[in-house]
Amino acid sequence: AQTVTQSQPEMSVQEAETVTLSCTYDTSENNYYLFWYKQPPSRQMILVIRQEAYKQQNATENRFSVNFQKAAKSFSLKISDSQLGDTAMYFCAFMKHEGTYKYIFGTGTRLKVLA
Amino acid sequence: EAQVTQNPRYLITVTGKKLTVTCSQNMNHEYMSWYRQDPGLGLRQIYYSMNVEVTDKGDVPEGYKVSRKEKRNFPLILESPSPNQTSLYFCASSLSRGLNSPLHFGNGTRLTVT
């Protein structure tokens, strides 16, 4: 069975600085999808970034980028130029490429951006 | 506006009293799913549906039922709620599986069972 581990329950970063949130996973699959979702205090879940394991190139969305290391089964999220609005809970998620619709989420990292 | 609508937003009930949390999406999505969010445990999938009349268990299905009689609706039913089902619940939908069909979440239902 697949598992997703986020080893940092809480982090903080100064506004305008860069922070990296870690995510590791365990799977025997060769192709799969990885996602980062953000949950601000409003509790709405918002997609931040996504990556297909088959693609080597790291995904980037504006200030958000990932460092995808397939061999190490690592999918960390880097937030550059942190803003107060980035304060949220961040969840890493895994889904197999084929077959079921099962999503596996990590336990989350609570990020606080300090003014 | 494209959205997933969950109701109610907050619910307090007593042990054993059957309840239903409704979920409706207006995006003609094929796939729908339910999650519960608990501190320290993240989101865990309860049930999912890949089409009308097709449902399957996620990781924590015990104590829950779902139905998918029509594409837009996917209610979550707790036949006999217990205090360990106190949680924050999310419904989500997507057009299909995969990278280009991310989950669209509802606003969540905070359930307290006393």
Side-chain angles (χ1 to χ4, degrees):
Chain A
Q2 289 81 19
T3 59
V4 176
T5 301
Q6 292 180 249
S7 59
Q8 305 150 314
E10 293 186 354
M11 296 187 73
S12 62
V13 62
Q14 288 294 135
E15 200 174 6
E17 297 292 308
T18 295
V19 65
T20 298
L21 280 58
S22 70
C23 173
T24 58
Y25 56 92
D26 187 25
T27 184
S28 58
E29 302 289 325
N30 189 47
N31 200 14
Y32 42 86
Y33 305 113
L34 296 163
F35 305 87
W36 279 97
Y37 282 89
K38 166 185 175 180
Q39 185 182 44
S42 66
R43 85 186 192 199
Q44 179 66 41
M45 295 285 288
I46 304 162
L47 177 69
V48 174
I49 201 164
R50 47 192 149 173
Q51 174 92 35
E52 184 172 6
Y54 198 69
K55 295 185 177 175
Q56 303 285 349
Q57 189 173 3
N58 288 326
T60 300
E61 290 283 346
N62 301 315
R63 297 183 294 107
F64 299 88
S65 61
V66 296
N67 182 6
F68 174 50
Q69 302 286 332
K70 190 173 183 180
K73 296 180 182 174
S74 171
F75 184 60
S76 59
L77 174 69
K78 186 171 86 170
I79 306 174
S80 304
D81 185 25
S82 297
Q83 301 175 0
L84 295 177
D86 296 332
T87 292
M89 181 75 90
Y90 287 82
F91 292 99
C92 180
F94 169 100
M95 189 172 93
K96 287 168 61 174
H97 183 259
E98 292 179 352
T100 72
Y101 189 57
K102 279 194 173 183
Y103 274 87
I104 309 296
F105 283 82
T107 53
T109 295
R110 188 176 298 281
L111 176 68
K112 188 168 186 178
V113 180
L114 306 171
Chain B
E1 180 190 352
Q3 59 185 355
V4 177
T5 303
Q6 274 181 249
N7 280 299
R9 194 161 166 83
Y10 297 91
L11 179 59
I12 301 173
T13 190
V14 296
T15 300
K17 186 176 181 182
K18 181 180 178 180
L19 66 91
T20 299
V21 183
T22 63
C23 174
S24 181
Q25 49 91 7
N26 62 0
M27 297 168 279
N28 202 36
H29 283 175
E30 295 284 342
Y31 296 77
M32 298 186 75
S33 50
W34 276 102
Y35 303 83
R36 60 177 290 173
Q37 181 180 353
D38 301 290
L41 297 176
L43 275 79
R44 292 178 292 168
Q45 194 177 48
I46 302 170
Y47 269 97
Y48 61 90
S49 170
M50 295 196 283
N51 209 334
V52 175
E53 301 291 1
V54 179
T55 62
D56 211 341
K57 295 177 181 178
D59 289 325
V60 288
E62 295 79 17
Y64 304 94
K65 286 175 58 177
V66 292
S67 68
R68 188 93 183 273
K69 292 185 169 58
E70 48 191 342
K71 187 184 269 192
R72 65 183 293 124
N73 295 323
F74 191 46
L76 179 70
I77 303 156
L78 284 72
E79 294 270 1
S80 182
S82 62
N84 65 12
Q85 293 178 297
T86 292
S87 188
L88 177 59
Y89 290 86
F90 285 97
C91 179
S93 71
S94 66
L95 183 62
S96 64
R97 298 180 68 261
L99 201 69
N100 295 319
S101 290
L103 295 171
H104 294 256
F105 283 87
N107 286 330
T109 296
R110 172 78 66 186
L111 173 65
T112 302
V113 183
T114 60

